[in-house]
Amino acid sequence: MSNLQTSGNRKAYEGLKQDSSDSRVNKRIFRAVTEQQQAVEQDLVDKVVKSFDACDDPRLKELMVSLVTHLHSFIREVRLTEEEWSAAVEFLTEAGHITDDVRQEFILLSDTLGASMQTINVNNQAYKGATEATVFGPFFVEDAIFVELGGDIAFGAPGEPCWVEGTVADTDGNPLPGARIEVWEADQDGLYDVQYDAKKRSGRGHLYSADDGTYRFWGLTPTPYPIPNDGPVGKLLDAVGRSPLRASHLHFMVSHEGARTLVTHIFPSDDPIGKKDTVFGVKDSLIKEFIQQPIGTPTPDGRRIEGTWSRVRFDIVLAPAGV
């Protein structure tokens, strides 16, 4: 810890003036720093920002200047120690080492810091009654099996059967036939197919809405599960006293020509985790009632089920492309 961090020096600098000639600077970063030290630190910020002057891409320049400005402000505000910075680099290095074709630790980090959810909020602005978006998650795969309307995406994955139905429409209420609906979920043990075997495909599939915009399929009643917490992100959550549990959910990605692609989940209303989702993905509009059906209740398509099953309705509204 530097001398300027000691309580004695803090008292010595209590009388420092709080205003600065540079209005861009957050005054909090000068809580215990002399004007001379402020100048040294600001000079470095200015030099790094100026280093991007020759950048020909205006958007890249904007991103880099803003990134550097905020990063340096963070370092200066918390008076980051060299040991803390080294620990951060080691954390990111470990995240890189554990990441592979199936496990994406950096997505987990982004999710648990709320960065993924905030990026989604920024890029999926509210529009009329369009269905809200939420986090993509790390377990989507491109080659999900096609299923006919009313088909079963479980493909043998364990769990309570769930009948899912609804419509796909635009914000004017017009049905959208032929919308591609990608769905995927974890099994009753909280695991996705790729966590068992990178090539396994179960608990996921894709289908298309009918001419009247309706869709239907069999899936599994969602159950809560922890994000992979045996890596650096799990250690971080444990260190700050946060649970790694995700609220129960069923993933959707819905696309149609002329519409904004929707990535979202639906969440059971009776989930004990509720809104304490570790990736901040739960939104009120996405909480749905999964109604459990007693043993022997006839199914919508005549399928024979030995035990209980559930059903849920999810009507999807797509915003127009470009909004």
Side-chain angles (χ1 to χ4, degrees), residues 164-214:
V164 185
E165 62 185 344
T167 59
V168 183
D170 63 21
T171 51
D172 293 322
N174 301 309
L176 295 177
R180 182 182 175 105
I181 306 169
E182 297 267 1
V183 287
W184 66 103
E185 62 180 323
D187 62 22
Q188 68 179 11
D189 297 320
L191 294 173
Y192 289 82
D193 49 4
V194 293
Q195 292 178 280
Y196 293 105
D197 181 338
K199 297 181 180 180
K200 183 178 180 180
R201 294 295 174 264
S202 62
R204 69 176 72 241
H206 76 273
L207 59 151
Y208 295 90
S209 58
D211 290 342
D212 59 356
T214 61

Coordinates of all heavy atoms in Angstrom, one line a residue, residues 164-214:
V164 N -45.1 -27.0 -24.9 CA -44.9 -25.6 -25.2 C -45.7 -25.2 -26.4 O -45.5 -25.8 -27.5 CB -43.4 -25.2 -25.3 CG1 -43.2 -23.7 -25.4 CG2 -42.6 -25.8 -24.1
E165 N -46.5 -24.1 -26.3 CA -47.2 -23.6 -27.5 C -47.3 -22.1 -27.5 O -47.1 -21.5 -26.4 CB -48.6 -24.3 -27.5 CG -49.5 -23.9 -26.3 CD -50.8 -24.6 -26.3 OE1 -51.2 -25.2 -27.4 OE2 -51.5 -24.6 -25.3
G166 N -47.6 -21.6 -28.6 CA -47.8 -20.1 -28.7 C -47.9 -19.7 -30.1 O -48.1 -20.5 -31.1
T167 N -47.8 -18.4 -30.3 CA -47.8 -17.8 -31.7 C -46.6 -16.9 -31.9 O -46.0 -16.5 -30.9 CB -49.1 -16.9 -31.9 OG1 -49.1 -15.9 -30.9 CG2 -50.3 -17.8 -31.7
V168 N -46.3 -16.7 -33.1 CA -45.2 -15.7 -33.5 C -45.9 -14.6 -34.3 O -46.6 -14.9 -35.3 CB -44.1 -16.3 -34.3 CG1 -43.0 -15.3 -34.5 CG2 -43.5 -17.5 -33.5
A169 N -45.8 -13.4 -33.9 CA -46.5 -12.3 -34.6 C -45.6 -11.0 -34.6 O -44.6 -11.0 -33.9 CB -47.9 -12.0 -34.0
D170 N -46.0 -10.1 -35.5 CA -45.3 -8.8 -35.4 C -46.0 -7.8 -34.5 O -47.0 -8.2 -33.8 CB -45.2 -8.2 -36.8 CG -46.5 -7.8 -37.5 OD1 -47.5 -7.7 -36.7 OD2 -46.6 -7.7 -38.7
T171 N -45.5 -6.6 -34.3 CA -46.0 -5.7 -33.3 C -47.4 -5.1 -33.7 O -48.0 -4.5 -32.9 CB -45.0 -4.6 -33.1 OG1 -44.6 -4.0 -34.3 CG2 -43.8 -5.1 -32.3
D172 N -47.8 -5.4 -34.9 CA -49.2 -5.0 -35.3 C -50.2 -6.2 -35.2 O -51.3 -6.0 -35.6 CB -49.2 -4.5 -36.8 CG -48.4 -3.2 -37.0 OD1 -48.5 -2.4 -36.1 OD2 -47.7 -3.1 -38.0
G173 N -49.7 -7.3 -34.7 CA -50.6 -8.4 -34.4 C -50.7 -9.4 -35.6 O -51.5 -10.3 -35.6
N174 N -49.9 -9.1 -36.7 CA -50.0 -10.0 -37.8 C -49.2 -11.3 -37.6 O -48.0 -11.2 -37.2 CB -49.5 -9.3 -39.1 CG -50.2 -8.0 -39.4 OD1 -51.4 -8.0 -39.5 ND2 -49.5 -6.9 -39.6
P175 N -49.8 -12.5 -37.8 CA -49.0 -13.7 -37.6 C -47.8 -13.8 -38.6 O -47.9 -13.3 -39.7 CB -50.0 -14.8 -37.9 CG -51.1 -14.2 -38.8 CD -51.1 -12.7 -38.3
L176 N -46.7 -14.4 -38.1 CA -45.5 -14.5 -38.9 C -45.3 -16.0 -39.2 O -44.7 -16.7 -38.4 CB -44.3 -14.0 -38.2 CG -44.4 -12.4 -38.0 CD1 -43.1 -12.0 -37.2 CD2 -44.4 -11.7 -39.3
P177 N -45.8 -16.5 -40.4 CA -45.6 -17.9 -40.7 C -44.1 -18.1 -41.1 O -43.4 -17.3 -41.6 CB -46.5 -18.1 -41.9 CG -46.6 -16.7 -42.5 CD -46.6 -15.8 -41.4
G178 N -43.6 -19.3 -40.9 CA -42.3 -19.7 -41.3 C -41.2 -19.1 -40.4 O -40.0 -19.1 -40.8
A179 N -41.5 -18.6 -39.3 CA -40.5 -18.0 -38.4 C -39.6 -19.2 -37.9 O -40.2 -20.2 -37.5 CB -41.1 -17.3 -37.2
R180 N -38.4 -19.1 -37.9 CA -37.5 -20.1 -37.4 C -37.3 -20.0 -35.9 O -37.0 -18.9 -35.4 CB -36.1 -20.0 -38.0 CG -35.1 -21.2 -37.6 CD -33.8 -21.0 -38.2 NE -32.8 -22.0 -37.7 CZ -32.4 -23.1 -38.3 NH1 -32.9 -23.3 -39.5 NH2 -31.5 -23.9 -37.8
I181 N -37.6 -21.0 -35.2 CA -37.6 -21.0 -33.7 C -36.6 -22.0 -33.2 O -36.8 -23.2 -33.4 CB -39.0 -21.4 -33.2 CG1 -40.1 -20.5 -33.7 CG2 -39.0 -21.3 -31.6 CD1 -41.5 -21.0 -33.4
E182 N -35.5 -21.5 -32.7 CA -34.5 -22.4 -32.1 C -34.8 -22.5 -30.6 O -35.0 -21.4 -29.9 CB -33.1 -21.8 -32.3 CG -32.6 -21.7 -33.7 CD -31.8 -22.9 -34.1 OE1 -31.6 -23.8 -33.3 OE2 -31.4 -22.8 -35.3
V183 N -34.8 -23.7 -30.0 CA -35.0 -23.9 -28.6 C -34.0 -24.8 -28.0 O -33.6 -25.7 -28.7 CB -36.5 -24.4 -28.3 CG1 -37.5 -23.3 -28.6 CG2 -36.8 -25.6 -29.2
W184 N -33.6 -24.5 -26.8 CA -32.6 -25.4 -26.1 C -32.7 -25.2 -24.6 O -33.2 -24.2 -24.1 CB -31.2 -25.2 -26.6 CG -30.5 -23.8 -26.4 CD1 -29.6 -23.6 -25.4 CD2 -30.7 -22.6 -27.1 NE1 -29.2 -22.3 -25.5 CE2 -29.9 -21.7 -26.5 CE3 -31.5 -22.2 -28.1 CZ2 -29.8 -20.3 -26.9 CZ3 -31.5 -20.9 -28.5 CH2 -30.6 -20.0 -27.9
E185 N -32.3 -26.3 -23.9 CA -32.5 -26.2 -22.4 C -31.6 -27.3 -21.8 O -31.2 -28.3 -22.4 CB -33.9 -26.4 -22.0 CG -34.6 -27.7 -22.4 CD -36.0 -27.8 -22.0 OE1 -36.4 -27.3 -20.9 OE2 -36.8 -28.3 -22.8
A186 N -31.4 -27.2 -20.5 CA -30.8 -28.2 -19.7 C -31.7 -29.3 -19.3 O -32.9 -29.1 -19.3 CB -30.2 -27.5 -18.4
D187 N -31.2 -30.4 -18.9 CA -32.1 -31.5 -18.5 C -32.4 -31.4 -17.0 O -32.0 -30.4 -16.4 CB -31.4 -32.9 -18.8 CG -30.1 -33.1 -18.1 OD1 -29.8 -32.4 -17.1 OD2 -29.3 -33.9 -18.6
Q188 N -33.0 -32.4 -16.4 CA -33.4 -32.3 -15.0 C -32.2 -32.3 -14.1 O -32.4 -31.9 -12.9 CB -34.3 -33.5 -14.6 CG -33.6 -34.8 -14.6 CD -34.6 -36.0 -14.3 OE1 -35.8 -35.8 -14.2 NE2 -34.0 -37.1 -14.0
D189 N -31.1 -32.7 -14.5 CA -29.8 -32.6 -13.7 C -29.1 -31.3 -13.9 O -28.0 -31.2 -13.3 CB -28.9 -33.8 -14.1 CG -29.6 -35.1 -13.7 OD1 -30.3 -35.2 -12.7 OD2 -29.5 -36.1 -14.5
G190 N -29.7 -30.4 -14.7 CA -29.0 -29.1 -14.8 C -27.9 -29.1 -15.8 O -27.0 -28.2 -15.8
L191 N -27.8 -30.0 -16.7 CA -26.7 -30.1 -17.7 C -27.3 -30.1 -19.1 O -28.3 -30.6 -19.4 CB -26.0 -31.4 -17.5 CG -25.2 -31.6 -16.2 CD1 -24.6 -33.0 -16.1 CD2 -24.1 -30.5 -16.1
Y192 N -26.5 -29.4 -20.0 CA -26.8 -29.3 -21.4 C -26.1 -30.5 -22.1 O -25.1 -31.0 -21.6 CB -26.3 -28.0 -22.0 CG -27.1 -26.8 -21.6 CD1 -26.9 -26.2 -20.4 CD2 -28.2 -26.3 -22.4 CE1 -27.6 -25.1 -20.0 CE2 -28.9 -25.2 -22.0 CZ -28.6 -24.6 -20.8 OH -29.4 -23.5 -20.4
D193 N -26.6 -30.9 -23.2 CA -26.1 -32.0 -24.0 C -24.6 -31.9 -24.2 O -23.9 -32.9 -24.0 CB -26.8 -32.2 -25.3 CG -26.9 -30.9 -26.1 OD1 -26.3 -29.8 -25.7 OD2 -27.5 -30.9 -27.2
V194 N -24.1 -30.7 -24.6 CA -22.7 -30.6 -24.9 C -21.8 -30.7 -23.6 O -20.6 -30.9 -23.8 CB -22.4 -29.2 -25.6 CG1 -23.1 -29.2 -26.9 CG2 -22.9 -28.1 -24.7
Q195 N -22.4 -30.6 -22.4 CA -21.6 -30.8 -21.2 C -21.3 -32.3 -21.0 O -20.4 -32.6 -20.2 CB -22.3 -30.2 -20.0 CG -22.4 -28.7 -20.1 CD -23.1 -28.1 -18.9 OE1 -24.3 -28.0 -18.9 NE2 -22.3 -27.6 -17.9
Y196 N -22.1 -33.1 -21.6 CA -21.9 -34.6 -21.5 C -20.9 -35.0 -22.6 O -19.9 -35.7 -22.4 CB -23.1 -35.4 -21.7 CG -24.2 -35.2 -20.6 CD1 -25.3 -34.5 -20.8 CD2 -24.0 -35.9 -19.4 CE1 -26.3 -34.4 -19.8 CE2 -24.9 -35.8 -18.4 CZ -26.1 -35.0 -18.6 OH -27.0 -34.9 -17.6
D197 N -21.1 -34.5 -23.8 CA -20.3 -34.8 -25.0 C -20.5 -33.7 -26.0 O -21.6 -33.3 -26.3 CB -20.9 -36.2 -25.6 CG -20.1 -36.6 -26.8 OD1 -19.4 -35.8 -27.5 OD2 -20.2 -37.8 -27.1
A198 N -19.4 -33.2 -26.5 CA -19.4 -32.1 -27.4 C -20.3 -32.3 -28.7 O -20.8 -31.4 -29.3 CB -18.0 -31.7 -27.9
K199 N -20.4 -33.6 -29.0 CA -21.2 -33.9 -30.3 C -22.6 -34.4 -30.0 O -23.4 -34.6 -30.9 CB -20.4 -35.0 -31.0 CG -19.1 -34.6 -31.5 CD -18.4 -35.7 -32.3 CE -17.0 -35.3 -32.8 NZ -16.3 -36.4 -33.5
K200 N -23.0 -34.5 -28.7 CA -24.3 -35.0 -28.4 C -25.3 -33.9 -28.6 O -25.1 -32.7 -28.4 CB -24.3 -35.4 -26.9 CG -25.7 -36.0 -26.4 CD -25.6 -36.4 -25.0 CE -27.0 -37.0 -24.5 NZ -26.9 -37.4 -23.1
R201 N -26.5 -34.3 -29.1 CA -27.6 -33.4 -29.3 C -28.9 -33.9 -28.7 O -29.5 -34.8 -29.2 CB -27.8 -33.1 -30.9 CG -26.6 -32.5 -31.6 CD -26.4 -31.0 -31.1 NE -25.2 -30.4 -31.6 CZ -24.0 -30.4 -31.0 NH1 -23.9 -31.0 -29.8 NH2 -23.0 -29.9 -31.6
S202 N -29.3 -33.2 -27.6 CA -30.5 -33.5 -27.0 C -30.9 -32.3 -26.2 O -30.1 -31.4 -25.8 CB -30.4 -34.7 -26.0 OG -29.5 -34.5 -25.0
G203 N -32.2 -32.1 -25.9 CA -32.7 -30.9 -25.2 C -32.6 -29.7 -26.1 O -32.5 -28.6 -25.6
R204 N -32.6 -29.9 -27.4 CA -32.5 -28.7 -28.3 C -33.0 -29.1 -29.7 O -33.1 -30.3 -30.0 CB -31.1 -28.2 -28.4 CG -30.1 -29.1 -29.1 CD -28.7 -28.4 -29.3 NE -28.0 -28.3 -28.1 CZ -27.6 -27.2 -27.5 NH1 -27.9 -26.0 -28.1 NH2 -26.9 -27.2 -26.4
G205 N -33.5 -28.2 -30.4 CA -34.0 -28.4 -31.8 C -34.4 -27.1 -32.4 O -34.4 -26.0 -31.8
H206 N -34.8 -27.2 -33.7 CA -35.4 -26.0 -34.3 C -36.7 -26.4 -35.1 O -36.8 -27.6 -35.6 CB -34.4 -25.3 -35.2 CG -34.1 -25.9 -36.5 ND1 -33.2 -26.9 -36.7 CD2 -34.7 -25.7 -37.8 CE1 -33.1 -27.3 -38.0 NE2 -34.1 -26.6 -38.6
L207 N -37.6 -25.5 -35.2 CA -38.9 -25.7 -35.9 C -39.3 -24.4 -36.5 O -38.6 -23.4 -36.4 CB -39.9 -26.3 -34.9 CG -40.3 -25.4 -33.7 CD1 -41.7 -25.7 -33.3 CD2 -39.4 -25.7 -32.5
Y208 N -40.4 -24.5 -37.3 CA -40.9 -23.3 -38.0 C -42.4 -23.1 -37.6 O -43.1 -24.1 -37.5 CB -40.7 -23.4 -39.5 CG -39.3 -23.5 -39.9 CD1 -38.6 -24.7 -40.0 CD2 -38.6 -22.3 -40.2 CE1 -37.3 -24.8 -40.4 CE2 -37.3 -22.4 -40.6 CZ -36.6 -23.6 -40.7 OH -35.3 -23.7 -41.0
S209 N -42.8 -21.8 -37.5 CA -44.2 -21.5 -37.2 C -45.0 -21.9 -38.4 O -44.6 -21.8 -39.5 CB -44.3 -20.0 -36.8 OG -43.9 -19.2 -37.8
A210 N -46.3 -22.2 -38.1 CA -47.2 -22.6 -39.1 C -47.7 -21.4 -39.9 O -47.4 -20.3 -39.6 CB -48.4 -23.4 -38.5
D211 N -48.6 -21.7 -40.9 CA -49.1 -20.6 -41.7 C -49.9 -19.5 -40.9 O -49.9 -18.3 -41.3 CB -50.0 -21.1 -42.8 CG -49.3 -21.9 -43.8 OD1 -48.0 -21.8 -43.9 OD2 -49.9 -22.7 -44.6
D212 N -50.5 -19.9 -39.8 CA -51.2 -19.0 -38.9 C -50.3 -18.4 -37.8 O -50.8 -17.8 -36.9 CB -52.4 -19.6 -38.3 CG -52.1 -20.9 -37.5 OD1 -50.9 -21.3 -37.4 OD2 -53.1 -21.4 -36.9
G213 N -49.0 -18.7 -37.9 CA -48.1 -18.2 -36.9 C -48.0 -19.0 -35.6 O -47.2 -18.7 -34.7
T214 N -48.7 -20.1 -35.5 CA -48.7 -20.9 -34.3 C -47.5 -21.8 -34.3 O -46.9 -22.2 -35.4 CB -49.9 -21.7 -34.1 OG1 -50.1 -22.6 -35.2 CG2 -51.2 -20.8 -34.0

